[in-house]
Amino acid sequence: MADLATTFAGIRSPNPFWLASAPPTDKEYNVVRAFRAGWGGAVWKTLGEDPPIVNTASRYGAVSFNGARIAGFSNIELITDRPLAVNLSEIKAVKRAWPDRALVVSLMVPCAEESWKRILGAVEDTGADGVELNFGCPHGMSERGMGSAVGQVPDYVEMVVRWCKQATRMPVIVKLTPNITDILAPARAARRGGADAVSLINTVQSITGVDLDLMAPMPVVDGQGTHGGYCGPAVKPIALCMVAGIARDSECASLPISGIGGIATWRDAAEFIALGAGTVQVCTAAMHRGFRIVTDMIDGLANWMDRAGYRRIEDFRGRAVRNFVHWEDLNLNYRTVAHIDQDLCIRCGLCHIACEDTAHQAIAARRANGRRQYEVIAAECVGCNLCAHACPVEDCISMVPVPTGRPRLTWKQHPNNPERREAAE
Amino acid sequence: MDGDGLSAHRIPRDVIAANFADCAPALSHDEAQVAAARCYFCHDAPCIEACPTGIDIPLFIRGIATGNLKGAAQTILDANIFGGSCARVCPTEILCQRACVRTAQEEKPVAIGALQRHATDWLFAQKLQPYSRAPATSRRIAVVGAGPAGLACAHALARLGHSVTVFEAREKPGGLNEYGIAAYKLVDDFAQSEIAFILGLGGIAVEYGRSLGQNLALSALRQNFDAVFLGLGLAGANRLGLPGEDLPGVANAIDFIAALRQATDKSTLPIARQVVVVGGGNTAIDAATQARKLGAEEVSIVYRRGPEAMSATLEEQERAQVNGVTIRHWATPVALEAVAGQLAAVVFEHTRPDSAGRAVGNGERFVLPAQMLLKAIGQHFLPEPLATEGPRLEGGRIAVNKDGETSLPGVFAGGDCIAGPDLTVQAVENGKIAARAIHRHLGF
Ligand SMILES: Cc1cc2nc3c(=O)[nH]c(=O)nc-3n(C[C@H](O)[C@H](O)[C@H](O)COP(=O)(O)OP(=O)(O)OC[C@H]3O[C@@H](n4cnc5c(N)ncnc54)[C@H](O)[C@@H]3O)c2cc1C
Ligand SMILES: Cc1cc2nc3c(=O)[nH]c(=O)nc-3n(C[C@H](O)[C@H](O)[C@H](O)COP(=O)(O)O)c2cc1C
Ligand code: SF4
């Protein structure tokens, strides 16, 4: 059986599945339930200075897609709404009762060195394993000069991280906001400041919908709405891209990454790890289905690793990073053609209409003895694979590589590229 | 033996009422969303082709999925003005839902019928009248028969601005929707509320108690109207041709069903302890199932061939079986036995297929005690009302071309009285096609 134990920025946990800083990690009661369910770690709901903030009703928006609830999720909650002393004493109690689990404390205080020093000292006394600096919250706190207001300015990131590293012996993880043009800027800044790791993504600024009766953006609070932070399955592709971007960056190289964003299954986790993440954090999936999901995450990941021949997380961590290249490094001489398995085809015609209306008119609609027949016209197919995505039947349409006899050719060498470099002989 | 004959109140009234409740209750909002999400919105969708009225099924289901219920309902009704009753009575398992690609994929079609009901119910509940009439044309058309064929034709013509008079022999409109369809398929007087919606368009006058061949003549209609549509249905019930067929206890299944449909309190209907139904179609299924629901203790359907030859769909056969009906195959009635002038038993002979595939008796007999025998061995077209001036017949029904026009210029026909599947949805399509042809015939 594969060994899932991880050591991340010096913090040990029995498995890479941590709960992200959010309502699931708001208090002792929840975190104890989570640890009992098997979670490897938790990042405590972000602490701030007293007096605590105040939250609204409602707080959440969600996007359903084709009957699937919570395909995307958003919130307008702020950091913890409980007094600092209460949180600190609970953190201490949990860490004492669960020494083998990772317990990291998320922090957000005003952008002043004194404030950070004060809270770091208090957290250190709890025996927590590390801190996560919340530079990501995109609403409510940013207007007060905290959260993403810091995270969007690389110089501030570097400055605050440096203060923190000087003030504490605990590992410092910097949680990054995706609400920025280039994720590398704050990631590199964190590294320059001496961060032990980064975690990403925090939530994406969003309006989940508009209530057309009230004419107000959702979630609606007494007839009005504000932008919230988007997360859940819908943001996973954005998160993967940002994680991978940091993983392959030479300036950030070897900076540990905790992957966050839309992770709901062991497979999602494996993908983040393959792109360089050392641990993963989960919020929405737990809020949707409860802590019990971790059982399948743990054994799903272990079973997959056994099948794939990986004994430890490190055996496959970052394996896909080398294949994450820039567009200009892709082989333009590689060809595929769609192939429809006529035995599996249910004759819905979706491949035909997708290609006919919006792609390359490469799937013919025929009738053979009154029966619908959809056939690829190989000469017209450009191998875009739209049809394979539109097809509702698993494995019915496959993209078959076609030998072209031509050597690998990238845009860098392509004759159409005015700035081409001849292939090195 | 006491109570062995026909008797009402065999089971309590509330049990009977529950037995006749809606056999396929409406989908809730959430159920409809889940069902609608299963539709792939196919290109050239096979279900559309499998619907005799060609409803754009993927489009109306998309309307349900997006919350555009009015658009969904109108997509349905544009193609099939009886979309509400068809949603309830169509054998979807051999029509749209059989063609659904999900049937090929996972043997679980999208619930098209139930979704169709969801959308049309919504429109009826809003009391919306989405249709209006084109400017009046001053053309007058006579429709004979207020069944699905006749009323579908009348509605389409009235929309085009023509004025329509419907002549109906009975006291109520609807044809078999009112008198024939199983009670648990069309509950809450749906047939009449749907017809009220159809007639709500305006431009359609219905004269009841007007029977062609009795107080109405085709020749007069041809003289007084610009065109005539015949939607007469099948008035004749086939007979067994056995001595004793008129004994008390022997009845046509369709008459039994009609009485059942019209009864305000079904517990007052007499029913026997032991009932035998002869036939293999949906009428046999419906009669047998409803006999059980009324309180008959033993009900058998006896059919002269095997299960695959039954015209009742497998789903319908299962419905009967689930309701405790025994279906016996390969036997045919050969004699009726009476006690004290009342049916007491039916004698059957086993059959088997001969070399030509016909069912022939093999001489072995068995007896089923029965105080009630319901004959469901088919209906036929009665040409008498057409008198000698009637259109040409073919195979015992009115012959028409693809536009529904008969051999008589200006006289059209559709529904059960012409060839083709005897289904509500087919009757509606015939009426609709004929209306278009009549419109052209009138020079538009
Ligand atoms: C018991 C039974 C159950 C059925 N169940 C189903 C089912 O579940 N699903 C389904 O799709 N189909 C079912 N059908 C078939 C369906 O009911 C018919 O195909 C459909 O009603 C045919 O419509 P129509 O308008 O042609 O005829 P009808 O519905 O028979 O209407 C004919 C009308 O014409 C009137 N009429 C007849 N003669 C004259 C005259 N001389 N003068 C004036 N008026 C006249 C009649 O009174 C009647 O109102 C069933 C049929 C039966 C008998
Ligand atoms: C209701 C809610 C509250 C959150 N509060 C915090 C917070 O206090 N601190 C923080 O760093 N992130 C917070 N987040 C962001 C999550 O920790 C996480 O980064 C994000 O939800 C993406 O992960 P997911 O797709 O698994 O939900 C919050 C998210 C949600 C849904
Ligand atoms: S791969 Fe693209 S071009 Fe080829 S058949 Fe499919 S949709 Fe058309």
Side-chain angles (χ1 to χ4, degrees):
Chain A
M1 192 67 162
D3 176 10
L4 299 188
T6 52
T7 305
F8 179 83
I11 304 168
R12 292 167 181 285
S13 61
N15 62 57
F17 300 107
W18 294 8
L19 284 165
S21 173
T25 62
D26 185 46
K27 51 187 176 305
E28 181 176 3
Y29 181 81
N30 305 83
V31 176
V32 166
R33 285 177 66 85
F35 285 168
R36 242 185 243 138
W39 290 85
V43 183
W44 203 273
K45 172 76 183 174
T46 306
L47 308 186
E49 291 182 340
D50 286 335
I53 57 81
V54 179
N55 276 312
T56 60
S58 306
R59 305 178 187 183
Y60 306 140
V63 172
S64 298
F65 188 75
N66 227 11
R69 307 285 288 173
I70 314 190
F73 191 54
S74 106
N75 80 91
I76 56 171
E77 267 182 14
L78 306 181
I79 60 176
T80 182
D81 54 11
R82 307 188 312 149
L84 183 61
V86 174
N87 277 304
L88 292 171
S89 80
E90 290 184 8
I91 292 168
K92 192 170 188 169
V94 173
K95 185 62 216 182
R96 192 173 308 136
W98 299 86
D100 70 321
R101 307 304 166 92
L103 190 59
V104 172
V105 179
S106 172
L107 300 175
M108 183 196 289
V109 291
C111 208
E113 188 167 6
E114 252 327 287
S115 294
W116 286 99
K117 260 198 179 141
R118 204 176 316 123
I119 201 159
L120 283 165
V123 171
E124 216 158 271
D125 291 343
T126 64
D129 296 303
V131 291
E132 186 181 79
L133 312 187
N134 180 349
F135 291 162
C137 187
H139 50 261
M141 304 312 288
S142 49
E143 289 91 326
R144 304 174 202 184
M146 295 183 259
S148 63
V150 176
Q152 287 166 339
V153 183
D155 289 346
Y156 292 175
V157 172
E158 183 177 344
M159 176 178 77
V160 175
V161 173
R162 187 159 290 132
W163 292 340
C164 293
K165 280 304 289 179
Q166 277 162 7
T168 181
R169 56 171 175 75
M170 292 182 290
V172 172
I173 303 168
V174 177
K175 185 163 178 179
L176 302 179
T177 175
N179 300 303
I180 188 161
T181 313
D182 179 7
I183 197 67
L184 291 179
R188 287 170 180 167
R191 180 169 187 89
R192 281 196 302 275
D196 297 282
V198 290
S199 57
L200 69 164
I201 57 175
N202 209 311
T203 56
V204 184
Q205 276 192 11
S206 62
I207 291 174
T208 41
V210 176
D211 184 318
L212 290 176
D213 297 319
L214 298 173
M215 279 296 166
M218 298 194 280
V220 181
V221 179
D222 193 18
Q224 297 174 306
T226 186
H227 71 261
Y230 200 45
C231 53
V235 307
K236 181 183 137 193
I238 299 168
L240 280 175
C241 181
M242 290 184 165
V243 164
I246 295 172
R248 77 171 172 195
D249 182 52
S250 55
E251 274 186 52
C252 293
S254 81
L255 182 62
I257 303 170
S258 187
I260 319 173
I263 296 165
T265 67
W266 62 267
R267 186 180 289 276
D268 297 331
E271 292 173 18
F272 274 87
I273 295 168
L275 284 175
T279 58
V280 294
Q281 299 184 27
V282 174
C283 168
T284 303
M287 290 182 75
H288 192 180
R289 307 197 196 274
F291 293 140
R292 216 161 62 86
I293 56 169
V294 78
T295 308
D296 182 69
M297 291 176 123
I298 292 171
D299 66 55
L301 185 63
N303 287 333
W304 170 77
M305 286 170 63
D306 288 346
R307 272 200 314 280
Y310 300 120
R311 290 192 356 266
R312 281 178 299 272
I313 297 285
E314 282 304 310
D315 291 353
F316 75 98
R317 192 177 68 80
R319 281 249 182 164
V321 176
R322 74 177 96 105
N323 289 325
F324 178 50
V325 298
H326 294 281
W327 190 90
E328 60 188 16
D329 292 319
L330 296 171
N331 179 9
L332 298 174
N333 273 347
Y334 179 70
R335 282 264 156 269
T336 61
V337 167
H339 174 264
I340 301 173
D341 183 332
Q342 295 295 343
D343 294 331
L344 291 179
C345 177
I346 57 170
R347 317 205 180 246
C348 68
L350 289 174
C351 59
H352 163 76
I353 203 64
C355 190
E356 189 70 14
D357 281 356
T358 70
H360 301 274
Q361 297 75 49
I363 298 181
R366 301 213 167 86
R367 289 274 179 131
N369 307 322
R371 190 173 151 89
R372 291 160 178 75
Q373 176 101 359
Y374 296 98
E375 286 165 13
V376 175
I377 307 163
E380 299 296 330
C381 175
V382 301
C384 71
N385 83 354
L386 173 63
C387 53
H389 291 294
C391 177
V393 181
E394 191 76 25
D395 295 333
C396 176
I397 300 187
S398 45
M399 303 305 299
V400 181
V402 194
T404 61
R406 283 177 283 154
R408 182 182 160 79
L409 176 75
T410 70
W411 178 245
K412 287 175 182 158
Q413 305 124 19
H414 199 279
N416 289 15
N417 180 356
E419 289 149 35
R420 80 175 164 280
R421 285 168 269 153
E422 293 308 324
E425 287 306 313
Chain B
M1 221 178 0
D2 174 51
D4 234 12
L6 269 51
S7 155
H9 305 294
R10 285 198 184 275
I11 51 178
R13 173 186 290 146
D14 54 336
V15 175
I16 291 185
N19 283 350
F20 283 92
D22 202 340
C23 65
L27 298 180
S28 68
H29 169 83
D30 285 2
E31 286 170 329
Q33 288 303 310
V34 171
R38 294 187 67 243
C39 173
Y40 288 140
F41 199 69
C42 294
H43 162 76
D44 185 17
C47 54
I48 301 179
E49 205 169 74
C51 170
T53 56
I55 295 173
D56 190 338
I57 293 162
L59 186 63
F60 94 67
I61 293 179
R62 193 162 179 81
I64 293 173
T66 66
N68 175 16
L69 286 167
K70 175 160 191 276
Q74 213 171 329
T75 297
I76 295 162
L77 297 173
D78 281 352
N80 180 340
I81 196 64
F82 279 89
S85 52
C86 284
R88 292 161 165 81
V89 312
C90 273
T92 51
E93 62 275 16
I94 56 166
L95 299 170
C96 51
Q97 292 184 187
R98 182 167 66 183
C100 177
V101 300
R102 288 271 195 179
T103 301
Q105 186 178 21
E106 53 197 7
E107 290 187 25
K108 190 172 182 298
V110 173
I112 299 171
L115 287 167
Q116 181 171 318
R117 170 167 174 185
H118 186 73
T120 49
D121 276 0
W122 180 88
L123 185 126
F124 297 140
Q126 305 296 308
K127 307 220 177 306
L128 291 178
Q129 177 51 264
Y131 297 110
S132 58
R133 300 184 63 206
T137 61
S138 80
R139 301 305 181 88
R140 300 170 64 245
I141 295 115
V143 168
V144 188
L151 290 179
C153 184
H155 187 265
L157 288 167
R159 276 185 71 189
L160 292 166
H162 308 304
S163 70
V164 184
T165 305
V166 180
F167 298 96
E168 167 57 49
R170 303 235 203 191
E171 296 308 320
K172 273 190 192 174
L176 292 172
N177 263 12
E178 175 59 35
Y179 294 96
I181 301 286
Y184 42 76
K185 291 185 186 173
L186 286 175
V187 300
D188 296 333
D189 213 12
F190 183 79
Q192 292 309 316
S193 54
E194 181 178 52
I195 289 167
F197 164 79
I198 292 171
L199 298 179
L201 172 70
I204 307 169
V206 189
E207 296 188 10
Y208 298 104
R210 298 295 300 275
S211 186
L212 194 69
Q214 285 178 20
N215 52 17
L216 196 65
L218 182 57
S219 55
L221 292 178
R222 295 185 69 195
Q223 255 166 37
N224 299 332
F225 290 86
D226 296 300
V228 178
F229 177 82
L230 302 172
L232 298 168
L234 302 175
N238 293 346
R239 290 177 62 84
L240 295 169
L242 295 178
E245 203 166 335
D246 298 315
L247 275 173
V250 182
N252 290 321
I254 50 165
D255 297 334
F256 167 73
I257 293 169
L260 207 134
R261 283 294 307 270
Q262 296 309 306
T264 39
D265 178 1
K266 294 184 179 35
S267 68
T268 60
L269 294 171
I271 186 78
R273 277 195 200 286
Q274 293 165 309
V275 178
V276 164
V277 180
V278 178
N282 284 339
T283 303
I285 297 287
D286 288 358
T289 305
Q290 293 178 104
R292 274 287 295 158
K293 286 176 183 280
L294 274 183
E297 285 156 19
E298 288 169 30
V299 179
S300 304
I301 290 175
V302 186
Y303 179 56
R304 66 198 157 99
R305 296 167 176 279
E308 61 296 331
M310 290 180 79
S311 64
T313 66
L314 211 61
E315 279 74 2
E316 291 289 341
Q317 295 181 41
E318 279 170 10
R319 183 202 303 282
Q321 285 163 331
V322 165
N323 278 287
V325 172
T326 306
I327 303 181
R328 297 164 191 265
H329 298 104
W330 297 110
T332 190
V334 288
L336 306 178
E337 287 177 0
V339 171
Q342 146 84 33
L343 181 73
V346 184
V347 183
F348 287 90
E349 182 178 2
H350 286 293
T351 56
R352 54 168 186 235
D354 71 3
S355 55
R358 281 179 307 242
V360 293
N362 69 356
E364 292 168 32
R365 295 187 169 203
F366 65 96
V367 177
L368 289 181
Q371 304 79 44
M372 195 166 187
L373 168 64
L374 298 173
K375 298 176 288 175
I377 53 169
Q379 290 130 258
H380 56 268
F381 177 65
L382 285 184
E384 287 73 17
L386 300 172
T388 48
E389 29 151 24
R392 194 167 64 78
L393 303 187
E394 203 173 85
R397 304 199 188 188
I398 301 174
V400 294
N401 64 17
K402 67 172 186 9
D403 286 337
E405 188 163 19
T406 67
S407 60
L408 304 176
V411 178
F412 296 75
D416 286 357
C417 66
I418 68 168
D422 294 339
L423 293 175
T424 307
V425 64
Q426 186 63 49
V428 174
E429 179 66 3
N430 292 158
K432 181 176 108 189
I433 294 289
R436 289 181 191 157
I438 290 171
H439 190 58
R440 288 193 302 274
H441 173 81
L442 298 177
F444 291 93

